């Protein structure tokens, strides 16, 4: 949204530069610095992009102070209760909630693309059985561009659409294949009369000799996890997808880049790291020892599942996830209760502690999600692949928005150079 001719005046050594100030539909105003280098021959400096808006977007909005997350304007809490993942996919991709015909058509299009090219099975055979599933899905997603040449021309809207549907449809199949491969079980084909979450659970947990009945409440909990992870503004992996896409790279390569970035423990890898931390703590009486470590600036240990660049009061997703954890643990027999008991006590102690309060450190989306997935029977190595499966629709929506933007150009940040000034080569004999 354009501003009303408001400007910010930058004074550098007595010379003034006027920078337009623009107002978004919600959130902080922005100072448009696109002409700053041309006019003032200076760069802005913002490592980690703590104060930088990298793009305009209509998709998702986060209010870090109020703990709000909106998908196309709808609060995530309302969607988590009233909607389901395929409907949220439609909303994120096309901007509006679908009517019945639109939803049925979209669901049908996704369902008809859940199988992968049979030749892709051989990709899995090339990995060690103990390969981390994130390594496998990063590779297989990138390899999809070798199979779907008819949907790699990003200038063609129809190809962009079919590539988007293919990735949303096939990620559950690929993620379940990575899991089956790691445990030495045969791949299970998708079943088209199941919904998205139920299909994923069946492909993960069915074995050929046995009938597998999906527990509806568990499928609902998994569907809710998918919805809560679907998109989140310009986080590290989404920014990676946008930057890769800005070069014109094909959509499969861009999403593979997003998966690779998500893997980091500071980002999507935190759910796996958090459950491992809760297990390491083991019992509430050991929590003070870990709180002490988290506060020690000389100790690199951080409380995984705590803190967020944007949320400074609470992560709305964590609140919903916490409720879901209670529901799921009441449903399943193999409850590893100590982790939930440790998580609850850790949250209580941390939220009363000044160090965490001063730094606005609260549980984030990764704090409870691992407990739910663990209780359902997933190994910790599958937590981030499930996050990637959920976030694929967000990455694709953001990528489509960027590619369709007529003002879009390749992303190419500059730097503050602190290296050597120009100098002449010194022959070896003189060094
Ligand atoms: C996700 O961006 C997104 O939207 C991401 C995500 C999404 O949906 O895409 O929400 C998903 O990635 C959630 C975050 C998952 N990561 C973790 O749970 C890992 C643990 N958290 C931290 O690594 C950290 O909180 C970050 C990376 C999430 C945020 O880091 P920031 O904003 O750069 O904050 P910071 O590192 O500057 O920390 C500020 C202060 C520091 O202390 P001081 O130097 O001021 O003394 O808070 C401390 C940090 O040491 N701090 C922590 C802490 N997180 C920050 N101390 C202990 N434990 C923590 N978890």
């Amino acid at each position: 949204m354009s501003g009303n001719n408001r400007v910010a005046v930058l004074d550098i050594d007595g010379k003034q530069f006027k920078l337009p100030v623009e107002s978004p539909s919600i959130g902080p105003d922005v100072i448009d610095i696109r002409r700053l280098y041309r006019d003032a021959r200076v760069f802005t400096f913002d490592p980690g992009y703590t104060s930088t808006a990298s793009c305009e977007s209509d998709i998702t909005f986060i209010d870090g102070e109020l703990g709000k997350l909106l998908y196309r304007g709808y609060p995530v809490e309302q969607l988590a209760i009233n909607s389901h993942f395929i409907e949220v996919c439609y909303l994120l991709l096309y901007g509006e909630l679908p009517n019945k015909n639109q939803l049925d058509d979209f669901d049908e299009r996704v369902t008809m693309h859940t199988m992968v090219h049979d030749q892709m099975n051989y990709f899995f055979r090339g990995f060690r059985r103990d390969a981390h599933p994130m390594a496998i899905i990063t590779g297989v997603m990138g390899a999809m561009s070798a199979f779907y040449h008819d949907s790699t021309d990003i200038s063609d809207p129809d190809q962009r659409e079919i590539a988007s549907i293919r990735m949303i449809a096939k990620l559950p199949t690929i993620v379940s294949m990575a899991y089956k491969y790691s445990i030495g079980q045969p791949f299970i084909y998708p079943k088209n009369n199941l919904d998205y979450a139920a299909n994923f659970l069946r492909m993960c947990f069915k074995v050929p000799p046995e009938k597998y009945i999906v527990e509806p409440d568990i499928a609902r909990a998994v569907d809710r996890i998918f919805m809560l992870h679907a998109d989140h503004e310009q986080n590290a992996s989404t920014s990676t997808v946008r930057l890769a896409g800005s070069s014109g790279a094909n959509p499969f390569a861009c999403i593979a880049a997003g998966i690779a970035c998500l893997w980091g423990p500071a980002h999507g890898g935190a759910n796996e790291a958090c459950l491992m931390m809760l297990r390491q703590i083991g019992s509430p009486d050991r929590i003070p020892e870990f709180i002490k470590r988290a506060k020690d600036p000389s100790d690199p240990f951080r409380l995984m599942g705590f803190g967020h660049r944007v949320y400074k009061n609470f992560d709305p997703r964590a609140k919903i996830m916490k409720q879901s954890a209670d529901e799921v643990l009441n449903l399943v027999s193999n409850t590893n209760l100590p982790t939930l008991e440790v998580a609850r006590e850790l949250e209580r102690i941390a939220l009363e502690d000044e160090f965490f309060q001063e730094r606005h450190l609260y549980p984030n989306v990764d704090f409870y999600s691992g407990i739910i997935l663990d209780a359902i029977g997933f190994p910790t190595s599958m937590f981030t692949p499930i996050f990637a499966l959920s976030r694929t629709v967000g990455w694709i929506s953001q990528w489509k928005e960027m590619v369709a933007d007529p003002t879009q150009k390749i992303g190419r940040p500059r730097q503050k150079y602190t290296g050597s000034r120009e100098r002449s080569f010194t022959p070896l004999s003189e060094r």
Side-chain angles (χ1 to χ4, degrees), residues 200-229:
F200 175 64
L201 284 166
R202 182 179 171 279
M203 290 189 284
C204 288
F205 295 123
K206 173 167 173 48
V207 287
E210 301 284 338
K211 199 169 170 54
Y212 179 79
I213 306 292
V214 179
E215 161 58 61
D217 292 333
I218 299 292
R220 179 72 190 143
V222 169
D223 190 86
R224 190 176 299 136
I225 286 178
F226 291 168
M227 284 193 277
L228 293 175
H229 287 81

Side-chain angles (χ1 to χ4, degrees), residues 50 62 228-229 231-238 262 264-271 273-274 293-295 297 301-312 315 317 355-356 359-362 364-367 387 391 395:
T50 51
I62 301 170
L228 293 175
H229 287 81
D231 195 45
H232 214 237
E233 282 192 9
Q234 307 311 318
N235 58 83
S237 52
T238 298
L262 185 76
H267 190 14
N271 51 20
C274 179
R293 284 188 60 195
K295 293 180 181 178
F301 172 78
R302 287 196 165 179
L303 285 182
M304 302 318 282
F306 261 79
H308 199 277
R309 171 62 58 75
V310 178
Y311 290 121
K312 296 307 174 191
D315 181 334
R317 303 168 297 176
F355 174 90
F356 294 92
R359 290 163 180 77
H360 305 289
L361 300 177
Y362 297 83
N364 58 48
V365 68
D366 295 304
F367 190 63
F387 191 155
R391 183 55 55 88
W395 290 329

